[in-house]
Each structure stands twice: as C-alpha cells, then as structure tokens.
Amino acid sequence: MASALKQFIPLFDRILISRAVAAKTSKGGIMLPESSVKKINEGVVVACGPGALDPDGDIIPVAVAVGDTVLLPEYGGMKLTLEEEDFILIRDSEILGKFVKVNSE
C-alpha cells in the first residue's frame, strides 16, 4: 500500500481519504448482514494536494493535514482503488469537518 500512495499525489485542493470501515459484528459478537451495515461518513486523510489557486495565482492551503480524521458528505468525491484498497478523492471544500481530540483535565 505505501508504495502506491507515495506515487499518487493529489493536485490542487484535492484530498485522498481512506474511509473508515463499518463494524461487521455487534457488540455482543453477532455477525451483521451487509444490508444492515450503514456506510460510515468518516475517514482518515492519506494525502493532500498543495491547495487551490486564487485569482492572483497564490496558493490557498488545504484545511486538513495527513493523518486528520474528517467528516465526509454522504455523496460526493471520486472512488479510487489503489493496490486493492478503496479510497475517496475529494475537494477540500467538500469536507464537512475535522475531528480533534479534546484534552480533559
């Protein structure tokens, strides 16, 4: 997986995301049928482009970094398969939010 991802660099404000996988068993250990498992709208950023260009030609950096966990829209983006692993290529502006860890003191 790492060799293909190092060769793939998104352009402009596009971001490559690995979608989180839904649990296939319940907390009690019961196997869930595929029809009852919902699609998870969460993923981890794997690669980022440098950013979009403004009218003056300056780069507007993307709002996320590699390793961030983000909230994805239900529809949108482009599905890619690299080395038998599924990814989503999406624009920075289409990402709904970013999850951050809160320090509880």
Side-chain angles (χ1 to χ4, degrees), residues 71-96:
L71 180 64
L72 302 169
E74 188 171 349
Y75 302 103
M78 179 179 160
K79 293 181 182 176
L80 290 174
T81 302
L82 300 172
E83 291 190 6
E84 299 178 10
E85 198 168 336
D86 293 331
F87 296 95
I88 297 173
L89 187 64
I90 194 167
R91 290 186 182 271
D92 182 41
S93 59
E94 294 178 11
I95 293 177
L96 301 176

PDB file of all heavy atoms in Angstrom, residues 71-96:
ATOM      1  N   LEU A  71     -14.959  14.384   8.579  1.00  0.00           N
ATOM      2  CA  LEU A  71     -16.344  14.011   8.336  1.00  0.00           C
ATOM      3  C   LEU A  71     -16.640  14.242   6.860  1.00  0.00           C
ATOM      4  O   LEU A  71     -16.401  15.333   6.335  1.00  0.00           O
ATOM      5  CB  LEU A  71     -17.279  14.854   9.201  1.00  0.00           C
ATOM      6  CG  LEU A  71     -18.773  14.582   9.066  1.00  0.00           C
ATOM      7  CD1 LEU A  71     -19.100  13.169   9.538  1.00  0.00           C
ATOM      8  CD2 LEU A  71     -19.565  15.600   9.863  1.00  0.00           C
ATOM      9  N   LEU A  72     -17.138  13.218   6.188  1.00  0.00           N
ATOM     10  CA  LEU A  72     -17.378  13.272   4.749  1.00  0.00           C
ATOM     11  C   LEU A  72     -18.862  13.430   4.443  1.00  0.00           C
ATOM     12  O   LEU A  72     -19.704  12.972   5.219  1.00  0.00           O
ATOM     13  CB  LEU A  72     -16.879  11.979   4.092  1.00  0.00           C
ATOM     14  CG  LEU A  72     -15.410  11.653   4.304  1.00  0.00           C
ATOM     15  CD1 LEU A  72     -15.117  10.242   3.833  1.00  0.00           C
ATOM     16  CD2 LEU A  72     -14.558  12.652   3.552  1.00  0.00           C
ATOM     17  N   PRO A  73     -19.202  14.039   3.304  1.00  0.00           N
ATOM     18  CA  PRO A  73     -20.611  14.071   2.905  1.00  0.00           C
ATOM     19  C   PRO A  73     -21.072  12.675   2.500  1.00  0.00           C
ATOM     20  O   PRO A  73     -20.255  11.810   2.157  1.00  0.00           O
ATOM     21  CB  PRO A  73     -20.620  15.029   1.708  1.00  0.00           C
ATOM     22  CG  PRO A  73     -19.233  14.986   1.176  1.00  0.00           C
ATOM     23  CD  PRO A  73     -18.336  14.718   2.338  1.00  0.00           C
ATOM     24  N   GLU A  74     -22.372  12.449   2.548  1.00  0.00           N
ATOM     25  CA  GLU A  74     -22.897  11.124   2.200  1.00  0.00           C
ATOM     26  C   GLU A  74     -22.614  10.780   0.739  1.00  0.00           C
ATOM     27  O   GLU A  74     -22.295   9.656   0.406  1.00  0.00           O
ATOM     28  CB  GLU A  74     -24.398  11.077   2.472  1.00  0.00           C
ATOM     29  CG  GLU A  74     -24.976   9.698   2.316  1.00  0.00           C
ATOM     30  CD  GLU A  74     -26.417   9.625   2.798  1.00  0.00           C
ATOM     31  OE1 GLU A  74     -26.892  10.571   3.425  1.00  0.00           O
ATOM     32  OE2 GLU A  74     -27.040   8.593   2.541  1.00  0.00           O
ATOM     33  N   TYR A  75     -22.738  11.776  -0.136  1.00  0.00           N
ATOM     34  CA  TYR A  75     -22.467  11.571  -1.553  1.00  0.00           C
ATOM     35  C   TYR A  75     -21.396  12.560  -1.985  1.00  0.00           C
ATOM     36  O   TYR A  75     -21.285  13.639  -1.445  1.00  0.00           O
ATOM     37  CB  TYR A  75     -23.734  11.784  -2.388  1.00  0.00           C
ATOM     38  CG  TYR A  75     -24.866  10.886  -1.980  1.00  0.00           C
ATOM     39  CD1 TYR A  75     -25.921  11.364  -1.218  1.00  0.00           C
ATOM     40  CD2 TYR A  75     -24.853   9.543  -2.326  1.00  0.00           C
ATOM     41  CE1 TYR A  75     -26.959  10.534  -0.837  1.00  0.00           C
ATOM     42  CE2 TYR A  75     -25.883   8.702  -1.945  1.00  0.00           C
ATOM     43  CZ  TYR A  75     -26.932   9.203  -1.199  1.00  0.00           C
ATOM     44  OH  TYR A  75     -27.948   8.370  -0.820  1.00  0.00           O
ATOM     45  N   GLY A  76     -20.629  12.197  -2.971  1.00  0.00           N
ATOM     46  CA  GLY A  76     -19.617  13.111  -3.488  1.00  0.00           C
ATOM     47  C   GLY A  76     -18.256  12.454  -3.508  1.00  0.00           C
ATOM     48  O   GLY A  76     -18.040  11.372  -2.960  1.00  0.00           O
ATOM     49  N   GLY A  77     -17.330  13.110  -4.146  1.00  0.00           N
ATOM     50  CA  GLY A  77     -15.994  12.573  -4.262  1.00  0.00           C
ATOM     51  C   GLY A  77     -15.918  11.514  -5.349  1.00  0.00           C
ATOM     52  O   GLY A  77     -16.920  11.137  -5.956  1.00  0.00           O
ATOM     53  N   MET A  78     -14.716  11.052  -5.595  1.00  0.00           N
ATOM     54  CA  MET A  78     -14.483  10.037  -6.619  1.00  0.00           C
ATOM     55  C   MET A  78     -13.847   8.815  -5.954  1.00  0.00           C
ATOM     56  O   MET A  78     -12.861   8.954  -5.229  1.00  0.00           O
ATOM     57  CB  MET A  78     -13.539  10.603  -7.680  1.00  0.00           C
ATOM     58  CG  MET A  78     -13.208   9.656  -8.769  1.00  0.00           C
ATOM     59  SD  MET A  78     -12.116  10.494  -9.926  1.00  0.00           S
ATOM     60  CE  MET A  78     -11.405   9.084 -10.706  1.00  0.00           C
ATOM     61  N   LYS A  79     -14.395   7.649  -6.197  1.00  0.00           N
ATOM     62  CA  LYS A  79     -13.853   6.424  -5.608  1.00  0.00           C
ATOM     63  C   LYS A  79     -12.648   5.966  -6.408  1.00  0.00           C
ATOM     64  O   LYS A  79     -12.690   5.915  -7.633  1.00  0.00           O
ATOM     65  CB  LYS A  79     -14.909   5.342  -5.568  1.00  0.00           C
ATOM     66  CG  LYS A  79     -16.038   5.654  -4.631  1.00  0.00           C
ATOM     67  CD  LYS A  79     -17.056   4.545  -4.599  1.00  0.00           C
ATOM     68  CE  LYS A  79     -18.205   4.923  -3.691  1.00  0.00           C
ATOM     69  NZ  LYS A  79     -19.254   3.930  -3.686  1.00  0.00           N
ATOM     70  N   LEU A  80     -11.572   5.629  -5.720  1.00  0.00           N
ATOM     71  CA  LEU A  80     -10.354   5.107  -6.333  1.00  0.00           C
ATOM     72  C   LEU A  80      -9.978   3.796  -5.660  1.00  0.00           C
ATOM     73  O   LEU A  80     -10.222   3.611  -4.474  1.00  0.00           O
ATOM     74  CB  LEU A  80      -9.181   6.069  -6.126  1.00  0.00           C
ATOM     75  CG  LEU A  80      -9.190   7.389  -6.857  1.00  0.00           C
ATOM     76  CD1 LEU A  80      -8.024   8.224  -6.385  1.00  0.00           C
ATOM     77  CD2 LEU A  80      -9.089   7.172  -8.332  1.00  0.00           C
ATOM     78  N   THR A  81      -9.357   2.905  -6.413  1.00  0.00           N
ATOM     79  CA  THR A  81      -8.809   1.686  -5.848  1.00  0.00           C
ATOM     80  C   THR A  81      -7.330   1.639  -6.172  1.00  0.00           C
ATOM     81  O   THR A  81      -6.947   1.623  -7.336  1.00  0.00           O
ATOM     82  CB  THR A  81      -9.521   0.443  -6.427  1.00  0.00           C
ATOM     83  OG1 THR A  81     -10.915   0.549  -6.154  1.00  0.00           O
ATOM     84  CG2 THR A  81      -8.989  -0.830  -5.791  1.00  0.00           C
ATOM     85  N   LEU A  82      -6.508   1.666  -5.128  1.00  0.00           N
ATOM     86  CA  LEU A  82      -5.058   1.592  -5.275  1.00  0.00           C
ATOM     87  C   LEU A  82      -4.578   0.380  -4.504  1.00  0.00           C
ATOM     88  O   LEU A  82      -4.811   0.273  -3.297  1.00  0.00           O
ATOM     89  CB  LEU A  82      -4.386   2.857  -4.733  1.00  0.00           C
ATOM     90  CG  LEU A  82      -4.777   4.171  -5.398  1.00  0.00           C
ATOM     91  CD1 LEU A  82      -4.188   5.340  -4.620  1.00  0.00           C
ATOM     92  CD2 LEU A  82      -4.299   4.195  -6.826  1.00  0.00           C
ATOM     93  N   GLU A  83      -3.909  -0.541  -5.186  1.00  0.00           N
ATOM     94  CA  GLU A  83      -3.413  -1.788  -4.593  1.00  0.00           C
ATOM     95  C   GLU A  83      -4.498  -2.491  -3.776  1.00  0.00           C
ATOM     96  O   GLU A  83      -4.305  -2.828  -2.614  1.00  0.00           O
ATOM     97  CB  GLU A  83      -2.171  -1.519  -3.740  1.00  0.00           C
ATOM     98  CG  GLU A  83      -0.969  -1.134  -4.569  1.00  0.00           C
ATOM     99  CD  GLU A  83       0.311  -1.110  -3.761  1.00  0.00           C
ATOM    100  OE1 GLU A  83       0.302  -1.497  -2.581  1.00  0.00           O
ATOM    101  OE2 GLU A  83       1.329  -0.709  -4.336  1.00  0.00           O
ATOM    102  N   GLU A  84      -5.660  -2.655  -4.388  1.00  0.00           N
ATOM    103  CA  GLU A  84      -6.795  -3.379  -3.827  1.00  0.00           C
ATOM    104  C   GLU A  84      -7.370  -2.741  -2.564  1.00  0.00           C
ATOM    105  O   GLU A  84      -8.060  -3.385  -1.793  1.00  0.00           O
ATOM    106  CB  GLU A  84      -6.415  -4.840  -3.551  1.00  0.00           C
ATOM    107  CG  GLU A  84      -6.002  -5.593  -4.798  1.00  0.00           C
ATOM    108  CD  GLU A  84      -5.580  -7.018  -4.504  1.00  0.00           C
ATOM    109  OE1 GLU A  84      -5.785  -7.498  -3.375  1.00  0.00           O
ATOM    110  OE2 GLU A  84      -5.046  -7.647  -5.431  1.00  0.00           O
ATOM    111  N   GLU A  85      -7.096  -1.471  -2.336  1.00  0.00           N
ATOM    112  CA  GLU A  85      -7.660  -0.748  -1.199  1.00  0.00           C
ATOM    113  C   GLU A  85      -8.459   0.431  -1.746  1.00  0.00           C
ATOM    114  O   GLU A  85      -8.029   1.109  -2.671  1.00  0.00           O
ATOM    115  CB  GLU A  85      -6.544  -0.256  -0.276  1.00  0.00           C
ATOM    116  CG  GLU A  85      -7.041   0.104   1.083  1.00  0.00           C
ATOM    117  CD  GLU A  85      -5.911   0.299   2.067  1.00  0.00           C
ATOM    118  OE1 GLU A  85      -4.819  -0.244   1.865  1.00  0.00           O
ATOM    119  OE2 GLU A  85      -6.147   1.015   3.043  1.00  0.00           O
ATOM    120  N   ASP A  86      -9.649   0.671  -1.175  1.00  0.00           N
ATOM    121  CA  ASP A  86     -10.533   1.723  -1.662  1.00  0.00           C
ATOM    122  C   ASP A  86     -10.247   3.046  -0.966  1.00  0.00           C
ATOM    123  O   ASP A  86     -10.058   3.102   0.255  1.00  0.00           O
ATOM    124  CB  ASP A  86     -11.995   1.339  -1.446  1.00  0.00           C
ATOM    125  CG  ASP A  86     -12.405   0.168  -2.311  1.00  0.00           C
ATOM    126  OD1 ASP A  86     -11.830   0.016  -3.404  1.00  0.00           O
ATOM    127  OD2 ASP A  86     -13.302  -0.595  -1.900  1.00  0.00           O
ATOM    128  N   PHE A  87     -10.254   4.115  -1.762  1.00  0.00           N
ATOM    129  CA  PHE A  87     -10.037   5.468  -1.269  1.00  0.00           C
ATOM    130  C   PHE A  87     -11.061   6.386  -1.908  1.00  0.00           C
ATOM    131  O   PHE A  87     -11.717   6.035  -2.884  1.00  0.00           O
ATOM    132  CB  PHE A  87      -8.627   5.967  -1.637  1.00  0.00           C
ATOM    133  CG  PHE A  87      -7.530   5.186  -0.996  1.00  0.00           C
ATOM    134  CD1 PHE A  87      -6.920   4.141  -1.674  1.00  0.00           C
ATOM    135  CD2 PHE A  87      -7.089   5.483   0.280  1.00  0.00           C
ATOM    136  CE1 PHE A  87      -5.905   3.412  -1.095  1.00  0.00           C
ATOM    137  CE2 PHE A  87      -6.081   4.753   0.870  1.00  0.00           C
ATOM    138  CZ  PHE A  87      -5.483   3.726   0.175  1.00  0.00           C
ATOM    139  N   ILE A  88     -11.177   7.603  -1.372  1.00  0.00           N
ATOM    140  CA  ILE A  88     -12.034   8.635  -1.938  1.00  0.00           C
ATOM    141  C   ILE A  88     -11.158   9.851  -2.216  1.00  0.00           C
ATOM    142  O   ILE A  88     -10.387  10.280  -1.364  1.00  0.00           O
ATOM    143  CB  ILE A  88     -13.164   9.013  -0.967  1.00  0.00           C
ATOM    144  CG1 ILE A  88     -14.056   7.810  -0.728  1.00  0.00           C
ATOM    145  CG2 ILE A  88     -13.961  10.191  -1.492  1.00  0.00           C
ATOM    146  CD1 ILE A  88     -15.095   8.033   0.330  1.00  0.00           C
ATOM    147  N   LEU A  89     -11.297  10.400  -3.419  1.00  0.00           N
ATOM    148  CA  LEU A  89     -10.611  11.630  -3.794  1.00  0.00           C
ATOM    149  C   LEU A  89     -11.662  12.731  -3.776  1.00  0.00           C
ATOM    150  O   LEU A  89     -12.642  12.680  -4.507  1.00  0.00           O
ATOM    151  CB  LEU A  89      -9.981  11.496  -5.178  1.00  0.00           C
ATOM    152  CG  LEU A  89      -9.087  12.632  -5.632  1.00  0.00           C
ATOM    153  CD1 LEU A  89      -7.867  12.742  -4.719  1.00  0.00           C
ATOM    154  CD2 LEU A  89      -8.642  12.418  -7.054  1.00  0.00           C
ATOM    155  N   ILE A  90     -11.460  13.728  -2.919  1.00  0.00           N
ATOM    156  CA  ILE A  90     -12.481  14.747  -2.689  1.00  0.00           C
ATOM    157  C   ILE A  90     -11.819  16.119  -2.599  1.00  0.00           C
ATOM    158  O   ILE A  90     -10.651  16.224  -2.254  1.00  0.00           O
ATOM    159  CB  ILE A  90     -13.264  14.390  -1.399  1.00  0.00           C
ATOM    160  CG1 ILE A  90     -14.543  15.183  -1.266  1.00  0.00           C
ATOM    161  CG2 ILE A  90     -12.410  14.541  -0.175  1.00  0.00           C
ATOM    162  CD1 ILE A  90     -15.474  14.640  -0.200  1.00  0.00           C
ATOM    163  N   ARG A  91     -12.566  17.160  -2.926  1.00  0.00           N
ATOM    164  CA  ARG A  91     -12.049  18.525  -2.805  1.00  0.00           C
ATOM    165  C   ARG A  91     -12.087  18.977  -1.345  1.00  0.00           C
ATOM    166  O   ARG A  91     -12.932  18.549  -0.567  1.00  0.00           O
ATOM    167  CB  ARG A  91     -12.863  19.496  -3.652  1.00  0.00           C
ATOM    168  CG  ARG A  91     -12.661  19.322  -5.128  1.00  0.00           C
ATOM    169  CD  ARG A  91     -13.403  20.421  -5.886  1.00  0.00           C
ATOM    170  NE  ARG A  91     -13.249  20.248  -7.301  1.00  0.00           N
ATOM    171  CZ  ARG A  91     -12.261  20.771  -8.016  1.00  0.00           C
ATOM    172  NH1 ARG A  91     -11.340  21.494  -7.427  1.00  0.00           N
ATOM    173  NH2 ARG A  91     -12.190  20.562  -9.310  1.00  0.00           N
ATOM    174  N   ASP A  92     -11.180  19.862  -0.998  1.00  0.00           N
ATOM    175  CA  ASP A  92     -11.091  20.391   0.360  1.00  0.00           C
ATOM    176  C   ASP A  92     -12.407  21.050   0.779  1.00  0.00           C
ATOM    177  O   ASP A  92     -12.853  20.887   1.916  1.00  0.00           O
ATOM    178  CB  ASP A  92      -9.931  21.396   0.429  1.00  0.00           C
ATOM    179  CG  ASP A  92      -9.724  21.964   1.809  1.00  0.00           C
ATOM    180  OD1 ASP A  92      -9.827  21.200   2.787  1.00  0.00           O
ATOM    181  OD2 ASP A  92      -9.450  23.171   1.922  1.00  0.00           O
ATOM    182  N   SER A  93     -13.052  21.749  -0.124  1.00  0.00           N
ATOM    183  CA  SER A  93     -14.289  22.462   0.208  1.00  0.00           C
ATOM    184  C   SER A  93     -15.471  21.526   0.443  1.00  0.00           C
ATOM    185  O   SER A  93     -16.473  21.939   1.021  1.00  0.00           O
ATOM    186  CB  SER A  93     -14.630  23.453  -0.905  1.00  0.00           C
ATOM    187  OG  SER A  93     -14.792  22.769  -2.124  1.00  0.00           O
ATOM    188  N   GLU A  94     -15.377  20.268   0.025  1.00  0.00           N
ATOM    189  CA  GLU A  94     -16.472  19.317   0.213  1.00  0.00           C
ATOM    190  C   GLU A  94     -16.423  18.623   1.572  1.00  0.00           C
ATOM    191  O   GLU A  94     -17.395  18.002   1.982  1.00  0.00           O
ATOM    192  CB  GLU A  94     -16.445  18.265  -0.899  1.00  0.00           C
ATOM    193  CG  GLU A  94     -16.742  18.819  -2.271  1.00  0.00           C
ATOM    194  CD  GLU A  94     -16.649  17.762  -3.354  1.00  0.00           C
ATOM    195  OE1 GLU A  94     -16.563  16.570  -3.035  1.00  0.00           O
ATOM    196  OE2 GLU A  94     -16.650  18.153  -4.533  1.00  0.00           O
ATOM    197  N   ILE A  95     -15.296  18.710   2.262  1.00  0.00           N
ATOM    198  CA  ILE A  95     -15.178  18.073   3.580  1.00  0.00           C
ATOM    199  C   ILE A  95     -16.015  18.870   4.570  1.00  0.00           C
ATOM    200  O   ILE A  95     -15.927  20.100   4.635  1.00  0.00           O
ATOM    201  CB  ILE A  95     -13.704  17.996   4.015  1.00  0.00           C
ATOM    202  CG1 ILE A  95     -12.958  17.031   3.100  1.00  0.00           C
ATOM    203  CG2 ILE A  95     -13.591  17.566   5.466  1.00  0.00           C
ATOM    204  CD1 ILE A  95     -11.488  16.932   3.375  1.00  0.00           C
ATOM    205  N   LEU A  96     -16.827  18.178   5.362  1.00  0.00           N
ATOM    206  CA  LEU A  96     -17.763  18.839   6.266  1.00  0.00           C
ATOM    207  C   LEU A  96     -17.129  19.296   7.570  1.00  0.00           C
ATOM    208  O   LEU A  96     -17.570  20.268   8.175  1.00  0.00           O
ATOM    209  CB  LEU A  96     -18.938  17.904   6.571  1.00  0.00           C
ATOM    210  CG  LEU A  96     -19.731  17.448   5.353  1.00  0.00           C
ATOM    211  CD1 LEU A  96     -20.789  16.452   5.763  1.00  0.00           C
ATOM    212  CD2 LEU A  96     -20.323  18.624   4.629  1.00  0.00           C
TER     213      LEU A  96
END
